[in-house]
Amino acid sequence: MTSPFVIVGGGLAAATAAEELRQRGYDGPIELVAAEGFRPYQRPPLSKEYLTGSGSLDDVFVHPEGWEAEHDVTLRTGVAALRIGDHVVELSDGSSLPFAKLLLATGARPRRLDLPGGDAREVRTFRTLDDADALRGALADGGRRVVLLGAGWIGMELAAAARGYGNEVAVIARGRVPLASGIGDELGLMYRRAHEEHGVVFRMDAAPTAIEVGADGAVTGVRLGDDDLLPADLVLVAHGVEPETALAETAGLDVDHGILVDERLRASAPDILAAGDVANPYHPVLRRRLRNEHWANAIAGGKVAASTMLDGDAVLDDIPYLYSDQYDVGMEYSGYPPLADGAQLVIRGDLAARELVAFWVRDGRVVAGMNVNVWDVNDQVQRLIRERVVVDTDRLADASVDLASLT
Ligand code: FAD
């Protein structure tokens, strides 16, 4: 009997790989082993429509109900260990599954809070559908005092959702400006203003030193370095993720800030690949490793992994892309963060009105771009980056100049 292609993970990279294998005509067995007891689902809606109640559970799942059965993809639960040399994964129920090819798409897990009181009741992280259901229940009646630790994309989306339900929200984070490490001070301040207009309070550069806990074991506040106390009924910890590499590491695969893979997503042992948040691939355009924690990368990685499993020659050379929705501010970002860091910022449009396209220009070329409440330009932004067009920054900033004319 043919050993199956085994895909470990219940997220977007795993589901996309399964779909792509079938689309490419692979008709052998596919075993998809998830950990959470759901069919594969995607995470972006969890902190947006699903959390705010404007989106349905159906929209969270990657495929409609019944897709796996229709496409002969067997769903299982929980991989406990991996035996590389034997080409076998051991499942949590004690059984073993041989594999012809193995894709690890185990994603990432939130960094935990390493502070006294950090494991108190109502100190939460946010990653899974269960987390989203629980948080929605906790926020929905409003009137709670929410302290958010972290001011990245997910933290800011959680802040918006919590305010939408009428809760008080205070954000504590390092640095002067939210999101600054990704998009710089000027654009980070634009987001800060949007949140402040909705009543969010920022305590930037304040260092939390302890979580205060009441007699009932629930959080009562966050103690700050200056001994100030921020009262809280709920503390949301949103200060980044770590790639979920435990399986790979224990099995002896090469791991360094993710499972090390080449541009075709091959790991350090034969017939084993990694894709999505857990992978740290070599990016052929940047000529360095670039681990990516975004939706589009999970899709692109799932597709490339399927190609490689079928001995195809696709490589993961996409321009990183992400999006975020907070209140009425929607944005798409495309580009290479390591190149954008310290590059010249060029704004086309109106920053105060939050309707603009921002470009990061290095050595005369666009290396990243972000459109905020301006739509249908992302293809052009990506084209400028991909074609390494040398731009006149005055024309780039001039909204009357068609981006397509910049060649
Ligand atoms: P995951 O989605 O993390 O899936 C990995 C799966 O593997 C999980 O289901 C996990 O349970 C499973 N697993 C782990 N260990 C095992 C094991 N031993 N056995 C079996 N299964 C295992 N990106 C954007 O670009 N835009 C956004 O707006 C955006 N919003 C986001 C909002 C939230 C709340 C979160 C958490 C992420 C968001 N992202 C966003 C990031 C994006 O969702 C991730 O990059 C994407 O989910 C990565 O997909 P993945 O399949 O690699 O990993």
Side-chain angles (χ1 to χ4, degrees), residues 52 156-157 160-161 164 190-191 193-195 197-198 324-331 352-356 371-375:
T52 59
M156 292 295 88
E157 289 183 356
M190 176 194 76
Y191 273 99
R193 274 185 218 109
H195 280 275
E197 284 166 21
H198 285 84
S324 177
D325 297 319
Q326 300 163 41
Y327 312 109
D328 57 354
V329 187
M331 79 89 184
R354 298 192 276 267
E355 258 185 50
L356 65 131
N371 46 300
V372 179
N373 287 351
V374 172
W375 304 109

Side-chain angles (χ1 to χ4, degrees), residues 40-253:
Y41 68 89
Q42 50 180 331
R43 293 170 205 278
L46 299 184
S47 51
K48 305 178 184 64
E49 305 87 345
Y50 188 70
L51 186 60
T52 59
S54 63
S56 74
L57 181 60
D58 285 349
D59 299 332
V60 172
F61 293 111
V62 181
H63 293 122
E65 187 159 15
W67 183 92
E68 286 80 11
E70 274 165 35
H71 292 82
D72 205 9
V73 174
T74 307
L75 286 182
R76 295 176 182 266
T77 311
V79 167
L82 162 61
R83 298 205 314 265
I84 290 178
D86 302 336
H87 273 55
V88 160
V89 291
E90 290 173 5
L91 303 185
S92 337
D93 64 7
S95 61
S96 298
L97 197 56
F99 62 83
K101 309 262 177 180
L102 172 69
L103 171 62
L104 296 172
T106 47
R109 60 169 187 279
R111 283 198 194 103
R112 304 213 64 90
L113 185 61
D114 188 16
L115 282 183
D119 53 2
R121 193 149 49 77
E122 296 296 9
V123 176
R124 298 165 184 243
T125 54
F126 191 86
R127 178 84 189 172
T128 66
L129 186 49
D130 284 342
D131 293 339
D133 283 332
L135 186 61
R136 191 158 71 165
L139 295 177
D141 290 340
R144 300 192 81 183
R145 296 164 305 176
V146 179
V147 172
L148 231 154
L149 304 181
W153 293 111
I154 291 174
M156 292 295 88
E157 289 183 356
L158 296 182
R163 283 299 301 144
Y165 285 116
N167 299 281
E168 288 177 26
V169 179
V171 176
I172 302 176
R174 286 205 202 101
R176 283 191 316 115
V177 180
L179 301 165
S181 63
I183 55 173
D185 283 5
E186 208 170 340
L187 291 157
L189 278 173
M190 176 194 76
Y191 273 99
R192 176 172 174 156
R193 274 185 218 109
H195 280 275
E196 285 173 338
E197 284 166 21
H198 285 84
V200 173
V201 173
F202 286 86
R203 297 290 298 260
M204 300 304 288
D205 257 345
T209 52
I211 304 298
E212 299 291 325
V213 187
D216 62 354
V219 60
T220 56
V222 178
R223 178 78 55 190
L224 300 178
D226 50 12
D227 220 28
D228 202 1
L229 180 69
L230 266 184
D233 311 307
L234 178 59
V235 172
L236 287 172
V237 183
H239 52 199
V241 296
E242 306 275 4
E244 187 63 81
T245 53
L247 261 184
E249 256 173 289
T250 314
L253 291 173

